[in-house]
Amino acid sequence: MDLSLTETQTMVRDTARAYADRVLAKRAAAFEREGRIDPDVLREMASMGLMGVNVPAALGGAEAGATAYALAMSEIARGCAATAVTMAVTNMVGEVITSFGTPAQRERYVPRLTSGEYLAGSFALSEPEAGSDPGAMRTTATRHGDRWVIRGAKQWITSGDIAGVFVVWARTGGPGTAGISCFLVENGTPGLRVGRHEDKMGIRGSTTVPLEFDEVTVGHDALLGVEGGGFKVAMMALDGGRIGIGAQAVGIATAALDEAVTYAKDRKQFGQAIGNFQAVQWMLADSRTELDGARLLVLRAAGLKDEQRPFSTEAAMAKMFASEAAWRVTNRAVQVHGGYGYTREFPAERHMRDSRVTMIYEGTSEIQRLVIARAMLRG
Ligand code: COS
């Protein structure tokens, strides 16, 4: 098994790593305090190819593949988890339009996402009554001649206030997953109303908003993929998205563990560095091992995606394991810091709060287990 990286993968990782160290790690606490990410940061990331890592160069992407994307995602998350999720969803939107869009849709939207002309893309699937079960969505799109009228509400929409384009799922047919279609809706379309920011536990620099669709009218050319095929578009996009969230969890945990190691070497109690105590060493050793396991699962899923082999189950395993490992690793990092870990003086508590959502968004850990078990039992 060859775990070495290609020249392109190394270059993309190193670009993201340098930017995380030079800019993001220093500004993450301020982004959290202000509840927003500096738009110039998002534009700079686009100019470095980070908003379309796995998108063709012809559409402005880096065309570097899924593994390079996962590596870059971990590095950006190591610097700032909120910036990383903005990048994750924007990349996912760029990829889904590239995969399912018509040539006109691709040319209209993808270069705007990859260039930073749009600060972000948004993925509008979840609803107040349809989170883990998107097949129960109530938002509808009704055809009137050559136009579609969208009515309903979406919830938990990452970057919904700054996105240039939304991928929106709505019911165009009967009940269940087969009655769902997917549309591209531009920001500023009349009737699309953005609600107030959610007051979240973590990733507070990334905005999360509800959306209301009050007779939002779009042309027939806004349909992404085939009528009734929207649910599969969502599932396939989420398969790739889950690699990104697994990679984000790895990045957050890496930051927390690095800080725990530094602290364990510096902090003295009972006349010596606390890193000399076995109780602390075991926490560090467990964290390092779990983190490497998480990283390998993420890279395996990304590698399968690069080889265009099935990766749905592997992506679910990577996301579930990495997000749960990140929770344990960040929790231990707080513990190593003792009383200081519980204060905002050290970033350990932010990493712990930031990591928590990776067990929830783009499919809860419970949904990942369901995906994994179903595939086993089906086989
Ligand atoms: N790729 C392609 N197609 C897929 C797929 C995938 N990964 N997963 C399911 N499908 C297809 C199925 O093959 C099925 O097709 P047919 O009707 O042609 O047989 C269709 O989609 C419906 O699948 P299924 O019956 O399994 O749907 P369920 O309603 O049981 O839902 C889960 C399956 C639970 C996996 C899905 O609802 C899910 O992922 N939920 C979590 C949603 C989520 O992540 N939300 C977060 C939003 S973004 S923050």
Side-chain angles (χ1 to χ4, degrees):
M1 186 184 188
D2 184 7
L3 293 175
S4 57
L5 302 180
T6 64
E7 213 173 295
T8 304
Q9 289 162 351
T10 306
M11 195 184 73
V12 171
R13 181 201 61 192
D14 290 351
T15 302
R17 180 176 287 173
Y19 192 70
D21 288 335
R22 184 170 59 80
V23 177
L24 298 178
K26 293 175 187 149
R27 301 188 64 186
F31 291 168
E32 156 153 295
R33 256 192 326 274
E34 293 159 14
R36 70 190 273 276
I37 297 158
D38 181 350
D40 285 340
V41 160
L42 300 176
R43 289 188 196 102
E44 266 173 23
M45 286 174 55
S47 74
M48 291 184 289
L50 294 174
M51 290 304 188
V53 180
N54 189 26
V55 166
L59 296 170
E63 202 172 315
T67 302
Y69 169 65
L71 292 164
M73 174 54 52
S74 290
E75 293 298 333
I76 296 298
R78 193 175 55 78
C80 174
T83 305
V85 71
T86 312
M87 170 180 159
V89 179
T90 304
N91 273 268
M92 183 161 65
V93 169
E95 281 194 44
V96 80
I97 300 175
T98 302
S99 299
F100 295 97
T102 61
Q105 288 171 330
R106 278 187 219 139
E107 275 150 35
R108 180 167 179 78
Y109 296 113
V110 181
R112 293 179 186 188
L113 290 162
T114 52
S115 68
E117 181 184 336
Y118 287 162
L119 286 180
S122 263
F123 196 83
L125 177 69
S126 299
E127 299 186 358
E129 305 297 329
S132 290
D133 182 15
M137 72 175 57
R138 293 183 189 166
T139 296
T140 58
T142 318
R143 197 202 298 259
H144 291 277
D146 63 349
R147 311 199 73 72
W148 291 96
V149 179
I150 306 174
R151 298 180 182 87
K154 296 287 172 180
Q155 183 94 335
W156 317 114
I157 309 306
T158 301
S159 307
D161 58 335
I162 59 167
V165 63
F166 298 82
V167 188
V168 179
W169 280 266
R171 187 167 300 288
T172 51
T177 56
I180 293 171
S181 301
C182 182
F183 298 88
L184 296 175
V185 179
E186 292 179 21
N187 192 348
T189 305
L192 172 54
R193 284 198 281 273
V194 177
R196 68 171 180 80
H197 295 178
E198 300 293 347
D199 191 4
K200 304 192 299 283
M201 173 193 286
I203 57 160
R204 293 176 64 88
S206 153
T207 48
T208 309
V209 293
L211 301 174
E212 199 187 319
F213 292 80
D214 183 7
E215 310 220 339
V216 172
T217 303
V218 291
H220 194 67
D221 56 358
L223 184 69
L224 182 70
V226 296
E227 191 177 333
F231 191 79
K232 284 184 190 166
V233 172
M235 290 300 111
M236 289 165 85
L238 283 169
D239 282 343
R242 289 167 184 165
I243 298 175
I245 301 307
Q248 183 199 23
V250 166
I252 299 168
T254 303
L257 183 55
D258 287 350
E259 279 142 22
V261 171
T262 303
Y263 190 83
K265 289 199 272 192
D266 288 351
R267 173 75 170 164
K268 298 214 167 36
Q269 290 290 278
F270 304 101
Q272 53 186 313
I274 61 167
N276 288 339
F277 297 119
Q278 200 177 51
V280 172
Q281 290 173 356
W282 284 25
M283 282 196 271
L284 299 181
D286 285 349
S287 291
R288 173 71 207 279
T289 307
E290 289 181 32
L291 187 47
D292 269 20
R295 188 175 284 117
L296 288 170
L297 284 177
V298 168
L299 290 177
R300 178 182 66 166
L304 289 170
K305 185 177 171 189
D306 275 333
E307 290 169 14
Q308 293 173 345
R309 288 162 62 190
F311 65 93
S312 176
T313 309
E314 289 77 8
M317 288 163 68
K319 185 202 182 270
M320 178 188 91
F321 187 81
S323 60
E324 295 183 359
W327 177 242
R328 292 190 294 272
V329 170
T330 55
N331 189 20
R332 286 188 202 113
V334 169
Q335 192 67 19
V336 168
H337 283 75
Y340 289 110
Y342 200 63
T343 71
R344 302 239 158 138
E345 204 176 318
F346 286 84
E349 63 83 33
R350 171 162 49 81
H351 297 317
M352 188 175 153
R353 286 186 290 105
D354 284 347
S355 86
R356 187 62 182 82
V357 72
T358 62
M359 289 190 273
I360 298 173
Y361 58 23
E362 299 204 17
T364 59
S365 280
E366 291 70 27
I367 288 295
Q368 308 313 321
R369 287 182 167 84
L370 182 150
V371 168
I372 297 160
R374 273 191 186 178
M376 291 164 72
L377 296 168
R378 205 174 42 231

